[in-house]
Amino acid sequence: MSMKKLLMAGGAASLLLGSTAYASIIDRPFFKVLGVVVVWGADGVNGTNDAPVVSDFVLLTPASGAAGADLIGADGATVVTGTLDAIIDTDVNADGTVPAVNPVFGGADNGTFTDGGTTAGVLDASDTLTAFGVDAGSDVGAGMANTHQSSFYVASNAAFDIRAQSSAFVATGDFLTDGTLGMANISYDMDITVSGDDGLPFGSVAQNPGTTVPTGSDLSDYAVAAPVFQGTQRTAAARGTLAAQSVRFDNTYELDDGTGLGYDLSMGSGTVQADMVFTVYVP
C-alpha cells in the first residue's frame, strides 16, 4: 500500500473517532407549593359544637382580588375570645377573662359593682351593685349592653387578605318596635393576637401577617364585602405545628345609639343580632 493510501486511511479513522455519540439521561426535579391559608375555630354556631376544627383550607390560586379556592365545603364559626367555646347564636358571647362593666358612671359616687360570673363579662342577675348617690352627672348606660368578643385562628405560608360581609340583621323588643336600630348601631373592630394559650397554645413560631383595617366602623360598612385585613406576609415564621404557626383574629362588636358612646336608656330594651361572614381573598 502506498504512503498516500495509508495517510488517507488514517485520516478517516480519526474522523470516525471524533464523531462518536454518547447516550444521555436527563432528570429535572420540579416542586410546586401553592399558597395556602388554614382557618380554624368551631364547626358551627350554637355553643355546643366542637373546637378546634379546621373549617377552611384555602388555596390562593385565583386571580388577585378574588376569593381563595376553599377545599372544605362546610362553613365554620368563631369561638368566644380567650376560649375554644363555640359562639352561641341566641345568647350573649363575651370574653370571660374581662369582667362586666359597671352600668353606673359619670357621678361622684357610682357604687361598687361586682361581676358575679354566672355569665362572665355580661350584666346579669348574679352581679351585685352597692347603693350609690345621684348627682347631676350620674348616668346609666354602656355597661347595660355586653360587648360581643369572638375569634378565629389562621395559619398560612403566604400573604392573604380577609374581607367581611354583614347580613341577617334581626331586632326584638323596643329595638324592633321603635324601628330606629340597624346595622349602623353595631360597631366593629378587629385586632390580631400573635400568640397565646386558649386551651391550646398557638403562635409560638408565628408572626404578625399584616394590618387590620376597621377603625371606628360599624356593620353597615360591610353590606357589601369589604376589607377587614390586608396581608403582607405569611403567619408561619419558623418550622412548627399548625397551631404554633397560627395567629388569632379578634372581633369586637358593641351596641351603640349612633353617638359612639354606647348604649343609652332611651334606646329601650330588646335584642339585636346580625351575621358577619369572613372570607379569605388573594392579595
Side-chain angles (χ1 to χ4, degrees):
M1 182 180 293
S2 67
M3 180 63 69
K4 185 177 180 180
K5 290 182 177 178
L6 287 172
L7 289 173
M8 290 177 64
S14 175
L15 183 61
L16 289 172
L17 290 173
S19 63
T20 301
Y22 295 93
S24 300
I25 298 176
I26 298 175
D27 196 5
R28 186 171 294 155
F30 174 78
F31 305 94
K32 183 176 183 179
V33 179
L34 299 176
V36 65
V37 180
V38 182
V39 183
W40 52 282
D43 64 353
V45 182
N46 67 13
T48 61
N49 290 38
D50 291 334
V53 172
V54 172
S55 57
D56 296 293
F57 198 95
V58 183
L59 301 181
L60 301 177
T61 51
S64 176
D70 190 2
L71 301 186
I72 300 176
D75 292 328
T78 56
V79 295
V80 179
T81 299
T83 76
L84 292 178
D85 298 331
I87 59 166
I88 304 170
D89 59 354
T90 57
D91 205 346
V92 294
N93 297 275
D95 182 351
T97 66
V98 179
V101 177
N102 189 346
V104 182
F105 67 99
D109 174 16
N110 298 324
T112 300
F113 175 79
T114 303
D115 187 346
T118 297
T119 304
V122 176
L123 183 68
D124 57 31
S126 67
D127 303 336
T128 60
L129 176 65
T130 63
F132 59 93
V134 179
D135 57 37
S138 298
D139 203 352
V140 175
M144 294 287 293
N146 64 290
T147 298
H148 178 99
Q149 297 166 310
S150 62
S151 300
F152 57 90
Y153 305 81
V154 178
S156 78
N157 68 348
F160 59 94
D161 291 345
I162 298 177
R163 298 185 190 182
Q165 184 167 4
S166 59
S167 63
F169 179 85
V170 177
T172 67
D174 295 330
F175 301 151
L176 172 63
T177 57
D178 289 352
T180 57
L181 294 188
M183 290 286 195
N185 297 106
I186 302 177
S187 67
Y188 174 68
D189 201 5
M190 172 183 274
D191 291 304
I192 297 173
T193 300
V194 175
S195 63
D197 188 342
D198 297 336
L200 175 66
F202 67 91
S204 61
V205 292
Q207 59 189 353
N208 192 325
T211 305
T212 56
V213 177
T215 301
S217 65
D218 59 64
L219 295 198
S220 69
D221 297 321
Y222 304 97
V224 176
V228 291
F229 169 77
Q230 294 178 331
T232 57
Q233 61 184 351
R234 60 184 177 270
T235 68
R239 177 173 290 276
T241 63
L242 178 63
Q245 294 175 333
S246 297
V247 301
R248 191 181 76 195
F249 284 81
D250 300 327
N251 307 301
T252 300
Y253 308 81
E254 293 184 342
L255 185 63
D256 186 78
D257 64 353
T259 64
L261 300 176
Y263 171 83
D264 182 81
L265 294 180
S266 61
M267 297 168 66
S269 63
T271 65
V272 169
Q273 179 177 303
D275 287 347
M276 191 73 154
V277 177
F278 300 93
T279 303
V280 173
Y281 274 71
V282 181

